[in-house]
Amino acid sequence: MKDFEYQTATTVDEAVSLLAARGERARVLTGGTDLIVQLREGLREADLVVDIKKIPELMELSYSPRSGLKLGAAVPCYRIYDDPEISRAYAALADSARIIGGWQIQSRASIGGNLCNSSPAADSIPSLIVYDVICHLAGPQGRRTVRVADFCTAPGRNVLGRGEILATLEFPPIKKNSGASYLRFIPRNEMDIAVVGAASWLQLDAAGERIEKARVALAAVAPTPLPLTAVSEWLVGKPATSETFAAAGDMASLAVKPISDKRGTVEYRKHLSGVLTKRTLVIAADRARGASAPAH
Amino acid sequence: MAKKIHVTSTINGEPIEFLCDARQSLLEVLRDTLDFTGAKEGCNNGNCGACTVLLDGLPVDSCLVLGVEVEGAKITTIEGIAREAHLHPIQQCFLEDAALQCGICTPGFIMSTKALLDSNPNPSEHEIRFQLSGNLCRCTGYDKIIRAVQDSAKALSAGVERGGTKATQPDGRRAAKKQPQAR
Ligand SMILES: Cc1cc2nc3c(=O)[nH]c(=O)nc-3n(C[C@H](O)[C@H](O)[C@H](O)COP(=O)(O)OP(=O)(O)OC[C@H]3O[C@@H](n4cnc5c(N)ncnc54)[C@H](O)[C@@H]3O)c2cc1C
Ligand code: FES
Ligand code: FES
């Protein structure tokens, strides 16, 4: 690996000014589970690496039913699933955090890094989309917010400008009678990149019978993580039954336009999109009715 | 070439200072600078777990941590878990259960097993397989490793002598990921 300069920032302003001064030649380091591999393999180059894990705001993880969840961009995955209250409230986020790599990866890897790496197959992004997360960015021009569905722009690309970092992810408070789930398909049991990933979020009526609101998003079927807007809208007002969820799965299969690569063909990915959409909707509905999240 | 960076950390309970380049991984520093050659390099990209060490009690792939990142941190390597002349009960069980052939993966498996049993003293087979999925073995076919972990769990929780080894107390403290209620 080519050598680089290493700096630790302790405030957001310090990180931003270090990064802004070097532009493209500077990279942010959180868990390093993407960045170190990319630098070592020559996929990316950097003259300066700015470690942001010492910035308190970026390591904050706080939850209250009233204000929702604030997830600092550098918080490693294990802190999410280790917190029983957060894993119960934001079960799809915990589903994602538990399957990003193995335990060694989860000790380091952050959800912020997963989002900023902006892979179309990233396991956390569909969950962030269905929770309608707000990304708080900080840059040389100050702070701004972006909806997570608008964050990724192309494989490995996103809306971050020169010197700009992701500071926190804001999850809205959990709605009554709502539930969510994330599943991915891989040929192994663990430790692989999603052939397809799906997240679903549902809000049901008080009886748990009719869908009031829905959001579905998929990974690895488009150049960026894909919100399935038409399917989500179609679900509203429908009964929360297996027939409805199967029909939504069929719609998802038709709605996606994936590519063929070494992980799967177009046909296979379309099929998986349907299956995973249906299954995550079933789990989301169960969770909305009060079933607690399974261990994983 | 940038100036070498001075880092202070605690390795296996001993305060240690070293100099390294920013680009050097913790694995390189451990093996090449500090002569802790127990952690192995398998893939050098986070997939095999042969380089697993505990960083502040958590298992990490030392090939994916920079040496400069461990300033102020506590690291435990395979060299640090035996007590004087006695193997750690996990080491003893891997040996007695023949849970290794070439042995390249073994230090990593033992460190992950230690982290697992520290946080979840009585894991199910499913939990063991899930938690150790970041460690690969090309030789054993895993079954003997799983058995060694199960036997280690028994040895540790009984706190008994096994093969002349006194079970040590678990130290790293964190809630097990599979038991969110145990917190
Ligand atoms: C063995 C292995 C298995 C993996 N398995 C999975 C998997 O199953 N699913 C999956 O989705 N991913 C997987 N990954 C990829 C990786 O672990 C995740 O994407 C992880 O979430 C990245 O987080 P990080 O904190 O390590 O990011 P880093 O590597 O530190 O950063 C990633 C990128 O984002 C930038 N960045 C990070 N944080 C910020 C910020 N706050 N502001 C601006 N830019 C930022 C960095 O500069 C870098 O370009 C795996 C990786 C490995 C090595
Ligand atoms: S050498 Fe570090 S994970 Fe393989
Ligand atoms: S014993 Fe050879 S890799 Fe595991």
Side-chain angles (χ1 to χ4, degrees):
Chain A
M1 197 183 340
K2 204 179 129 300
D3 205 15
F4 45 78
E5 199 187 322
Y6 170 86
Q7 298 269 1
T8 324
T10 51
T11 64
V12 168
D13 288 350
E14 189 187 358
V16 167
S17 60
L18 283 167
L19 290 162
R22 300 286 188 96
E24 289 285 293
R25 305 299 302 168
R27 307 289 322 178
V28 171
L29 173 72
T30 45
T33 61
D34 280 315
L35 185 66
I36 295 174
V37 176
Q38 290 162 359
L39 292 173
R40 187 171 287 149
E41 291 175 355
L43 300 172
R44 283 189 199 277
E45 278 196 9
D47 296 335
L48 170 67
V49 165
V50 179
D51 189 344
I52 58 173
K53 290 189 291 295
K54 297 265 156 34
I55 305 176
E57 179 184 346
L58 272 64
M59 291 301 272
E60 185 184 336
L61 178 67
S62 64
Y63 166 68
S64 83
R66 187 190 288 251
S67 54
L69 177 69
K70 254 181 100 178
L71 172 62
V75 171
C77 287
Y78 83 90
R79 282 183 54 197
I80 295 166
Y81 60 67
D82 258 11
D83 188 309
E85 215 185 357
I86 292 174
S87 327
R88 212 174 305 115
Y90 297 90
L93 175 68
D95 290 342
S96 297
R98 279 190 194 95
I99 58 170
I100 293 180
W103 195 3
Q104 291 95 329
I105 298 293
Q106 292 153 16
S107 298
R108 305 289 290 169
S110 60
I111 298 295
N114 196 244
L115 177 60
C116 291
N117 192 58
S118 301
S119 158
D123 280 311
S124 77
I125 307 179
S127 298
L128 301 179
I129 292 175
V130 300
Y131 286 121
D132 204 9
V133 160
I134 311 280
C135 309
H136 290 253
L137 315 185
Q141 272 83 49
R143 301 252 176 172
R144 65 177 175 131
T145 57
V146 175
R147 281 185 62 203
V148 72
D150 302 324
F151 187 86
C152 299
T153 51
R157 306 205 152 264
N158 54 50
V159 298
L160 291 174
R162 183 186 171 114
E164 198 168 37
I165 65 168
L166 173 68
T168 43
L169 296 166
E170 180 193 336
F171 291 66
I174 290 297
K175 304 245 170 38
K176 259 195 164 161
N177 308 312
S178 72
S181 157
Y182 178 75
L183 290 175
R184 71 168 174 200
F185 180 82
I186 53 173
R188 303 172 59 196
N189 286 338
E190 315 299 341
M191 291 281 290
D192 209 343
I193 295 174
V195 183
V196 172
S200 292
W201 173 89
L202 288 174
Q203 187 179 358
L204 307 181
D205 62 10
E209 282 168 6
R210 200 157 293 277
I211 299 167
E212 292 190 339
K213 280 187 189 150
R215 279 191 292 271
V216 181
L218 302 185
V221 296
T224 57
L226 185 71
L228 287 186
T229 318
V231 176
S232 308
E233 283 166 6
W234 178 83
L235 282 163
V236 174
K238 301 282 183 312
T241 58
S242 49
E243 291 74 27
T244 301
F245 300 144
D250 292 344
M251 285 179 76
S253 290
L254 295 173
V256 297
K257 294 194 174 58
I259 55 163
S260 292
D261 64 13
K262 63 180 175 184
R263 293 184 202 282
T265 60
V266 167
E267 294 71 30
Y268 191 40
R269 284 203 160 97
K270 281 174 165 283
H271 174 70
L272 285 172
S273 299
V275 172
L276 294 178
T277 297
K278 182 184 85 182
R279 286 188 190 165
T280 51
L281 284 166
V282 169
I283 299 170
D286 283 348
R287 287 176 176 173
R289 295 183 187 113
S292 66
H296 74 264
Chain B
M1 178 66 74
K3 214 169 98 233
K4 296 245 184 213
I5 300 167
H6 178 256
V7 179
T8 309
S9 60
T10 305
I11 304 183
N12 301 329
E14 301 278 330
I16 290 196
E17 294 177 48
F18 58 86
L19 290 173
C20 70
D21 294 332
R23 61 169 184 87
Q24 282 184 292
S25 68
L26 173 60
L27 179 62
E28 282 175 72
V29 170
L30 286 172
R31 292 183 56 87
D32 303 343
T33 309
L34 302 174
D35 243 10
F36 287 107
T37 53
K40 301 292 182 247
E41 180 182 312
C43 63
N44 213 24
N45 62 21
N47 275 282
C48 77
C51 64
T52 303
V53 301
L54 306 187
L55 182 60
D56 293 327
L58 291 169
V60 299
D61 295 317
S62 60
C63 70
L64 291 190
V65 177
L66 299 176
V68 289
E69 286 184 275
V70 302
E71 172 66 42
K74 288 195 176 60
I75 295 156
T76 309
T77 70
I78 187 72
E79 287 89 349
I81 68 164
R83 288 288 166 261
E84 288 150 20
H86 296 296
L87 291 181
H88 188 281
I90 301 172
Q91 292 174 304
Q92 192 67 35
C93 290
F94 270 67
L95 200 61
E96 289 177 13
D97 291 345
L100 56 134
Q101 288 178 31
C102 79
I104 292 283
C105 68
T106 313
F109 265 104
I110 290 178
M111 296 316 289
S112 297
T113 301
K114 181 162 190 316
L116 171 61
L117 299 180
D118 283 350
S119 63
N120 181 359
N122 187 22
S124 67
E125 177 178 340
H126 179 81
E127 287 171 333
I128 294 170
R129 289 186 186 270
F130 185 75
Q131 296 294 84
L132 298 187
S133 65
N135 292 83
L136 300 184
C137 175
R138 302 307 301 266
C139 304
T140 64
Y142 299 101
D143 282 353
K144 290 186 170 180
I145 293 177
I146 305 303
R147 212 163 307 138
V149 177
Q150 290 168 328
D151 287 342
S152 303
K154 280 184 215 139
L156 283 166
S157 55
V160 292
E161 305 267 330
R162 184 184 152 122
T165 307
K166 184 119 180 107
T168 47
Q169 286 306 308
D171 45 34
R173 280 276 68 107
R174 56 184 286 271
K177 86 199 262 190
K178 308 306 298 309
Q179 297 184 315
Q181 72 279 16
R183 219 182 123 117

